Amino acid sequence: MGRIPFSRSFQYFLVVLVLFSIILYTQQLYADTEGNSILSFASPLNHCNVNNQQTPEPVVGAVELIPTTTTITVTTTSTPTLAPILSEAVSSEAAVKNPEPPYCNYCTSTDELCKRYGSFNLARSRAYEGPNARLKRVLRKLRSGQKIKIGIIGGSVSKGHGLTDRRNNWSHIYAEYIRETFASSTSSDAANVEVELINGSVGATVSEYMETCFREHIPEDVDLVIIELAINDQRLEGLAKGYENLIRAIFALPLRPAIINVQIMALMFSTITMGGDLHTAIAEYYDTPIISIRNVLLPHILRTTQLNPSDTSVEDYWFEHDGNGIDLRHLSLHGHRMLGDLLKSFTSRVACEGWHEEQQQQASSHNKDTNVVGGSDWAPYDSDRLEEFTPSLPNPNDGEDVSEYIPRQSLFQKYDHTTILRPATPFCRTTNTLAGTAYYSPYAHLLEPLPAPLSTEGPDAFAMWSHPENPGKVWLTARKPGVKTAFNVQTSALGRVRVTYLRSESFGLGSMWCWLDDNRQKGRRLDGYWHLKDINVANTHAIVEDATPGEHILHCEIMKETKDPGGGTEFRIVAVDAL
């Protein structure tokens, strides 16, 4: 058969006709029931949550198409011209039966926090997210109608320094959000659900103290612990080790609580970087999320002062004020609100992700456990199979849920194949404790000196004291050289005995000699004075590190010699602990 001749102009016409047909076909595919295009690229509100677009009218099904570069949410009509590829996570049928809960609105038109701070700032605040298996477990417990307890371990900021109403504390704001969001609409027993907040924060304390004494400040049956010690800890390896020990000890509690790390900001020290920057690596190692207010605020503060060095408006707004002007160490009411909001936004994202995972597991005919390392998301490349390098990746955890695995080694140890760290039994006696409160636990004990002759008695003896302007900080205090005190301590396998005491450049603090049992010559000198200006915090030092397991007596005596330039000899003890 001969070829039918076409003129060149007719060929051009056919090409145009085909292109025009494709355009009409595409327009029909990507249109809603009213004929309006709903494609959205990089919208400041919509791009944050591709599974949760707001549409004016109900539709038959929402599906997620995953092209090579951009995720697009497409709404189909009841008679689509092209069968969509359903995402395995959520099917159309499941979406109709189980509509997303209200907290699945991250950066949509109904997300007031995204409108207030913007998706950019919210993203910066999440310094580390991780899979959040523990937090999702806690939120599931709450949604099932059970009570949860939230414990706060922090310093003076979390304690509420400068706030006149505790309801403005970031921890209270967060606890109220938890109550209102998860306990009020997701359970038939919502009216009876309780969220109990225990703020165990202690001003001027560090991780070395909290690693053995945290159970003096929060009960052991907590479900969620939020740690805020980023600016109390200096950038020192010893404090970072204490922070790691604290995380390991919290994970060993009976309910295996979730942990959130909160990092605030201080701009009055010799460097911007503080201990929180060492905490970050540890938090990642133990898969605990980090919410950082510094990541959000500092770029704006730096830019404002770059444009106008005399402009302190941003600092004025976010930091506390005292008699000396701006207090660049403690957050203002506005700073507390922001920190609470950042935690709220983060938790809603985690809760929504957990909800989708639950829907996926319910819809899966195979009931796969997505938390098992070595599951469907851990497989060799196709080239490995073709070249017969290995049929599958090694998976010694096959069938075991390791989503809450605690590393067997410390981050500060050399890697080996045999070391397994075991939880130790901490001993702590402190001046700030839950003993005698509504949150009493068998681990809460007040620091009490032994009677005479082991301890000095009378008006010069060590006694509980707090400054009239700051009654929340309590110290076991004495002021005269020669005054003695002694305490019972109980060591375990580690054989370490320590004293936590206040150090300051400006408080007129002296020195003290401490020893264990009868070994006075092998004692340690503790100096309350140091040269670091504007840093008045508790420090922890070991007296012995090789004591035999069992009961011992710790002795301490104020020395005549002092490093304080003004000759001060006052000494303030916070706690004694042992392992």
Side-chain angles (χ1 to χ4, degrees):
M1 180 181 290
R3 184 166 59 100
I4 299 176
F6 288 108
S7 68
R8 184 174 299 276
S9 59
F10 186 76
Q11 292 176 357
Y12 289 155
F13 171 77
L14 289 178
V15 171
V16 171
L17 180 62
V18 170
L19 292 175
F20 183 73
S21 299
I22 293 174
I23 292 174
L24 290 178
Y25 179 86
T26 306
Q27 181 66 27
Q28 181 181 1
L29 173 63
Y30 296 114
D32 61 15
T33 54
E34 296 179 356
N36 299 316
S37 173
I38 62 167
L39 287 177
S40 176
F41 296 94
S43 167
L45 287 180
N46 294 335
H47 86 279
C48 295
N49 189 342
V50 297
N51 292 322
N52 200 27
Q53 303 296 333
Q54 301 297 313
T55 55
E57 298 291 337
V59 296
V60 172
V63 297
E64 185 179 7
L65 301 183
I66 307 178
T68 56
T69 56
T70 307
T71 300
I72 306 173
T73 299
V74 179
T75 304
T76 64
T77 63
S78 58
T79 56
T81 57
L82 180 65
I85 301 174
L86 292 179
S87 169
E88 185 177 80
V90 183
S91 67
S92 300
E93 184 179 356
V96 173
K97 291 182 178 179
N98 300 300
E100 288 182 326
Y103 50 78
C104 281
N105 69 332
Y106 178 74
C107 280
T108 64
S109 60
T110 62
D111 187 350
E112 296 301 323
L113 294 180
C114 194
K115 294 177 184 178
R116 183 178 306 162
Y117 300 106
S119 60
F120 179 85
N121 288 317
L122 291 178
R124 287 191 66 109
S125 73
R126 301 187 297 273
Y128 176 72
E129 288 192 84
N132 292 294
R134 295 179 180 88
L135 182 56
K136 291 171 185 175
R137 168 170 51 78
V138 172
L139 294 176
R140 285 196 299 270
K141 176 181 177 179
L142 180 64
R143 284 163 40 210
S144 71
Q146 300 179 65
K147 173 181 178 178
I148 70 165
K149 292 183 180 181
I150 303 174
I152 311 296
I153 296 176
S156 55
V157 170
S158 295
K159 192 174 179 63
H161 178 91
L163 296 177
T164 57
D165 188 340
R166 69 176 181 83
R167 292 174 295 181
N168 293 325
N169 191 304
W170 67 262
S171 61
H172 184 86
I173 294 171
Y174 181 66
E176 285 300 307
Y177 149 82
I178 291 290
R179 292 187 186 99
E180 295 170 1
T181 303
F182 301 105
S184 61
S185 60
T186 56
S187 166
S188 60
D189 298 324
N192 299 320
V193 169
E194 294 183 51
V195 178
E196 185 176 354
L197 174 68
I198 304 99
N199 191 341
S201 300
V202 181
T205 53
V206 295
S207 293
E208 278 188 325
Y209 165 78
M210 284 296 185
E211 68 171 295
T212 50
C213 294
F214 74 94
R215 288 191 295 184
E216 301 288 330
H217 305 287
I218 61 173
E220 67 168 4
D221 58 342
V222 287
D223 298 277
L224 170 63
V225 178
I226 306 179
I227 305 174
E228 178 272 302
L229 292 169
I231 65 169
N232 282 39
D233 280 2
Q234 300 174 64
R235 194 183 172 100
L236 300 172
E237 185 173 296
L239 294 175
K241 290 180 178 179
Y243 188 79
E244 182 185 34
N245 292 337
L246 173 60
I247 287 181
R248 296 187 71 93
I250 292 172
F251 281 159
L253 291 177
L255 298 183
R256 301 180 294 118
I259 295 176
I260 300 177
N261 303 277
V262 166
Q263 296 188 353
I264 60 171
M265 174 178 60
L267 298 177
M268 45 86 68
F269 299 124
S270 58
T271 61
I272 295 175
T273 181
M274 294 292 290
D277 296 300
L278 296 185
H279 295 175
T280 298
I282 297 167
E284 292 171 349
Y285 183 63
Y286 289 94
D287 197 21
T288 57
I290 304 171
I291 301 301
S292 169
I293 200 172
R294 189 184 73 180
N295 284 2
V296 178
L297 290 181
L298 186 57
H300 298 285
I301 292 175
L302 292 175
R303 183 177 181 276
T304 300
T305 52
Q306 179 179 348
L307 296 174
N308 182 2
S310 62
D311 186 356
T312 62
S313 58
V314 180
E315 298 157 80
D316 286 334
Y317 188 81
W318 296 110
F319 283 100
E320 184 60 47
H321 288 249
D322 57 23
N324 299 319
I326 304 176
D327 177 1
L328 295 176
R329 174 166 44 188
H330 297 100
L331 295 179
S332 67
L333 178 148
H334 306 294
H336 276 267
R337 286 178 178 172
M338 171 182 269
L339 186 54
D341 286 346
L342 297 179
L343 279 166
K344 289 157 60 176
S345 177
F346 162 74
T347 304
S348 288
R349 279 171 56 92
V350 173
C352 183
E353 184 178 279
W355 183 87
H356 277 288
E357 291 172 355
E358 293 171 22
Q359 301 305 304
Q360 178 182 353
Q361 290 180 358
Q362 293 174 8
S364 173
S365 59
H366 301 291
N367 194 26
K368 295 178 181 178
D369 186 355
T370 58
N371 289 329
V372 177
V373 173
S376 59
D377 59 343
W378 186 345
Y381 288 105
D382 290 338
S383 60
D384 291 342
R385 295 191 181 94
L386 294 176
E387 299 175 23
E388 298 183 353
F389 290 145
T390 177
S392 63
L393 289 176
N395 184 18
N397 303 305
D398 191 17
E400 179 184 352
D401 186 348
V402 293
S403 59
E404 299 187 21
Y405 172 70
I406 302 173
R408 62 178 175 82
Q409 284 192 266
S410 164
L411 192 59
F412 295 92
Q413 291 179 317
K414 186 180 186 303
Y415 170 76
D416 61 36
H417 286 192
T418 58
T419 299
I420 300 177
L421 295 178
R422 303 296 184 186
T425 303
F427 172 96
C428 179
R429 300 291 184 270
T430 177
T431 58
N432 295 276
T433 178
L434 293 177
T437 72
Y439 306 114
Y440 173 75
S441 80
Y443 299 100
H445 302 89
L446 191 64
L447 178 63
E448 296 178 318
L450 293 171
L454 296 174
S455 300
T456 301
E457 292 185 335
D460 297 330
F462 272 93
M464 295 296 180
W465 176 84
S466 62
H467 195 282
E469 295 182 1
N470 195 356
K473 295 180 180 178
V474 181
W475 322 95
L476 188 65
T477 306
R479 297 173 176 81
K480 290 187 177 182
V483 173
K484 298 183 299 182
T485 188
F487 312 94
N488 282 325
V489 294
Q490 178 81 35
T491 58
S492 57
L494 191 60
R496 186 187 71 186
V497 178
R498 305 187 305 176
V499 175
T500 300
Y501 59 102
L502 184 67
R503 303 198 74 180
S504 172
E505 181 264 348
S506 59
F507 287 0
L509 301 180
S511 301
M512 186 170 70
W513 187 262
C514 294
W515 66 97
L516 195 67
D517 299 327
D518 298 327
N519 297 323
R520 184 180 180 117
Q521 292 182 343
K522 294 184 178 181
R524 289 283 305 274
R525 172 173 172 159
L526 309 177
D527 295 309
Y529 172 85
W530 62 8
H531 65 281
L532 301 177
K533 292 186 177 182
D534 300 318
I535 301 181
N536 312 308
V537 297
N539 263 218
T540 303
H541 284 124
I543 306 304
V544 298
E545 298 188 75
D546 58 356
T548 58
E551 295 184 0
H552 299 271
I553 296 179
L554 174 66
H555 302 267
C556 293
E557 181 178 342
I558 295 180
M559 302 173 63
K560 292 181 180 180
E561 181 182 351
T562 178
K563 289 189 174 182
D564 178 54
T569 58
E570 180 178 310
F571 205 91
R572 305 183 191 179
I573 303 174
V574 179
V576 299
D577 69 68
L579 279 177

